[in-house]
Amino acid sequence: MNTTVDYFNVGELFGEEYLLIRDTIRDFVRAEILPTIDQKAQRHEEIPDLMKKLGQIGALGPFVSSAYGGAGLDYMAYGVIMQELEAGDSAIRSAASVQSSLVMYPIYTFGSEEQKNKYLPMLASGDCIGAFGLTEPNHGSDPSNMETRLVKDGEGYRLNGAKTWITNAPICDLAVVWAKDEEGKVRGVIIERTDVGFSTPEIKDKWSLRASRTGELVFDSIYIPSERLLPDVSSMRGPLSCLNSARYGISWGVIGAAIDCYQVALQYASERTQFGKPIAAYQLQQKKLAEMITEITKAQLLSWRLGVLKNENRATPQQISMAKRNNVHMALQVARESRQILGAMGIVGDYPIMRHMMNLESVITYEGTHDVHLLITGQDITGISGF
Ligand SMILES: Cc1cc2nc3c(=O)[nH]c(=O)nc-3n(C[C@H](O)[C@H](O)[C@H](O)COP(=O)(O)OP(=O)(O)OC[C@H]3O[C@@H](n4cnc5c(N)ncnc54)[C@H](O)[C@@H]3O)c2cc1C
């Protein structure tokens, strides 16, 4: 695994600092993830102590200030980290994405000083595993119609409802959950594992993201002290801004998975001989490889530019949607084509391609489906909602 595929010298657009970060994360993935990831995914097990290991390399909340335990880096660095982690496996990038963009980001952005001091350092170190609850059994693409309710009870609130398809639900120590209050306003609430009435049943037997645990968050009249509400947001802006940060990271991450598939396919095609020649000599296979490197290069340029805009606080949600949609689709296509180049060998765990391909089937659905992101672009350019 080597993510230096860089046909247009995009790396020259980065400073040395980013290349150092890239190499550090790449070394981590080689040493800690690659030796066991196939076995873990096949057995539907997670990497032991993954979150703590990610904390040790500064991959959790890299954009959070060092005053709260973060690495104090910018969004370009966050993107580079996501790319290298997903070259290992989308489950690893998903763990870092959720913890960073969906749990630390809302506490950092909308939380009180007490909440930031209490939760961010232990989330940054990975001593505490966070989950993000937005999707519900009846509301996936339309979370604004959520049914989870927060009702005033004395000095605090009662929370009732359920979230589903939640990354790390079965192993989370806390969850940032979005619910509607009695005025219909969307509020962010911090739930702790020990809260009475909180349970997290697991969704088993997934064919995708098998090295990541997924489950439900069930709230059976949980009492929430008022200091557990995020004070600085009371609308869909809260969860949507978290998704923006995560989707941005995904646009980078999937480039790592695509490069890993492309490199394996290129090498295999050069070594595998059929009809007396390496299969890389045949135009049909060259077309596949040439189109892959073209699409990877376009995705790299898109994400690099998006990183510049994000650092300048100018990246719009619509631009992020376009990059997420384009790059995930690109990675999935690269994985599918790469798998074919390997013939029968493409379906075994000796090679990472099938694992990446199955993982990307989740990535193209979560954080806004492929269709929904197209509708976001459509609405932006026409001014008409196609939802
Ligand atoms: C492995 C995994 C991990 C996840 N982790 C999390 C997490 O940590 N936290 C969290 O909150 N959620 C999480 N999700 C949930 C994910 O965000 C949702 O699955 C996603 O938003 C889609 O919702 P849905 O599955 O209910 O599909 P639906 O919304 O039911 O959509 C089904 C299909 O209908 C299409 N569709 C929907 N509306 C329209 C429309 N208006 N026009 C045209 N087509 C439409 C969609 O594009 C899709 O193809 C995760 C999902 C997976 C698979």
Side-chain angles (χ1 to χ4, degrees):
M1 200 264 316
N2 171 4
T3 41
T4 43
V5 168
D6 187 5
Y7 205 71
F8 264 48
N9 302 336
V10 181
E12 288 175 13
L13 299 168
F14 298 98
E16 276 299 310
E17 186 195 347
Y18 300 104
L19 301 180
L20 249 171
I21 292 168
R22 182 195 66 185
D23 293 346
T24 305
I25 306 295
R26 185 176 293 171
D27 291 346
F28 164 81
V29 168
R30 276 198 191 124
E32 299 287 342
I33 307 300
L34 295 187
T36 57
I37 186 62
D38 179 70
Q39 202 182 55
K40 292 290 171 198
Q42 299 264 7
R43 293 182 184 168
H44 216 323
E45 295 168 357
E46 75 264 29
I47 304 271
D49 291 326
L50 174 66
M51 211 56 97
K52 283 188 185 159
K53 289 175 181 169
L54 291 172
Q56 280 160 12
I57 55 166
L60 303 179
F63 45 76
V64 166
S65 152
S66 54
Y68 302 110
L73 298 169
D74 64 10
Y75 268 92
M76 196 71 87
Y78 177 54
V80 170
I81 293 170
M82 296 299 114
Q83 175 181 295
E84 294 306 318
L85 291 179
E86 197 148 0
D89 193 271
S90 302
I92 313 303
R93 198 268 309 136
S94 294
S97 278
V98 170
Q99 187 95 342
S100 302
S101 284
L102 302 181
V103 180
M104 295 177 72
Y105 174 87
I107 295 173
Y108 188 49
T109 311
F110 306 119
S112 66
E113 205 49 42
E114 291 73 31
Q115 290 168 343
K116 290 183 211 179
N117 285 318
K118 178 174 177 189
Y119 297 112
L120 290 176
M122 57 186 178
L123 286 162
S125 65
D127 289 322
C128 169
I129 298 177
F132 171 85
L134 181 63
T135 304
E136 297 187 350
N138 295 328
H139 301 286
S141 298
D142 66 342
S144 56
N145 288 326
M146 68 179 72
E147 294 167 36
T148 301
R149 286 292 180 271
L150 194 61
V151 174
K152 197 91 186 92
D153 181 6
E155 295 296 299
Y157 295 84
R158 290 272 162 198
L159 183 70
N160 277 289
K163 301 286 176 179
T164 192
W165 288 111
I166 307 306
T167 301
N168 281 342
I171 54 168
C172 74
D173 301 300
L174 67 84
V176 171
V177 170
W178 300 92
K180 278 190 183 165
D181 67 14
E182 287 160 286
E183 294 172 46
K185 289 185 177 157
V186 174
R187 304 301 310 264
V189 181
I190 300 170
I191 311 291
E192 295 185 1
R193 168 57 72 183
T194 51
D195 286 341
V196 177
F198 182 43
S199 58
T200 58
E202 182 157 8
I203 297 171
K204 293 200 172 129
D205 299 331
K206 293 174 297 171
W207 282 102
S208 174
L209 288 180
R210 287 175 61 80
S212 165
R213 308 269 295 269
T214 314
E216 296 172 55
L217 305 174
V218 181
F219 322 113
D220 183 6
S221 204
I222 301 183
Y223 181 73
I224 311 282
S226 52
E227 62 269 18
R228 294 256 216 95
L229 258 64
L230 299 177
D232 291 342
V233 74
S234 56
S235 70
M236 280 302 288
R237 188 173 72 86
L240 293 181
S241 62
C242 299
L243 295 178
N244 270 332
S245 177
R247 289 167 179 172
Y248 164 80
I250 291 171
S251 87
W252 279 87
V254 292
I255 297 173
I259 289 177
D260 199 35
C261 293
Y262 164 77
Q263 286 191 311
V264 169
L266 179 61
Q267 187 170 346
Y268 189 89
S270 312
E271 291 167 1
R272 174 74 173 166
T273 298
Q274 289 294 285
F275 300 98
K277 280 196 247 173
I279 57 172
Y282 297 111
Q283 287 181 4
L284 279 174
Q285 305 313 318
Q286 288 192 4
K287 177 174 186 288
K288 289 191 181 99
L289 292 164
E291 286 178 352
M292 281 185 215
I293 187 70
T294 306
E295 293 307 315
I296 288 170
T297 303
K298 284 154 68 178
Q300 286 173 321
L301 287 163
L302 198 57
S303 280
W304 170 78
R305 178 62 188 153
L306 192 62
V308 172
L309 292 172
K310 188 101 179 88
N311 274 348
E312 293 171 357
N313 210 16
R314 290 197 294 140
T316 66
Q318 292 82 2
Q319 288 169 332
I320 293 171
S321 273
M322 182 184 281
K324 191 267 183 186
R325 179 175 186 274
N326 179 79
N327 291 7
V328 179
H329 185 251
M330 174 285 293
L332 195 48
Q333 288 304 110
V334 167
R336 287 172 178 157
E337 294 288 300
S338 298
R339 203 217 59 70
Q340 290 194 50
I341 290 177
L342 267 69
M345 293 306 284
I347 71 161
V348 293
D350 297 359
Y351 296 97
I353 297 175
M354 190 80 174
R355 180 167 46 78
H356 282 309
M357 191 174 106
M358 303 292 262
N359 285 341
L360 290 162
E361 290 290 349
S362 283
V363 182
I364 203 163
T365 289
Y366 70 27
E367 301 280 345
T369 68
H370 190 64
D371 294 335
V372 162
H373 286 299
L374 178 129
L375 294 177
I376 290 171
T377 306
Q379 182 177 19
D380 196 37
I381 57 176
T382 64
I384 306 165
S385 169
F387 286 91

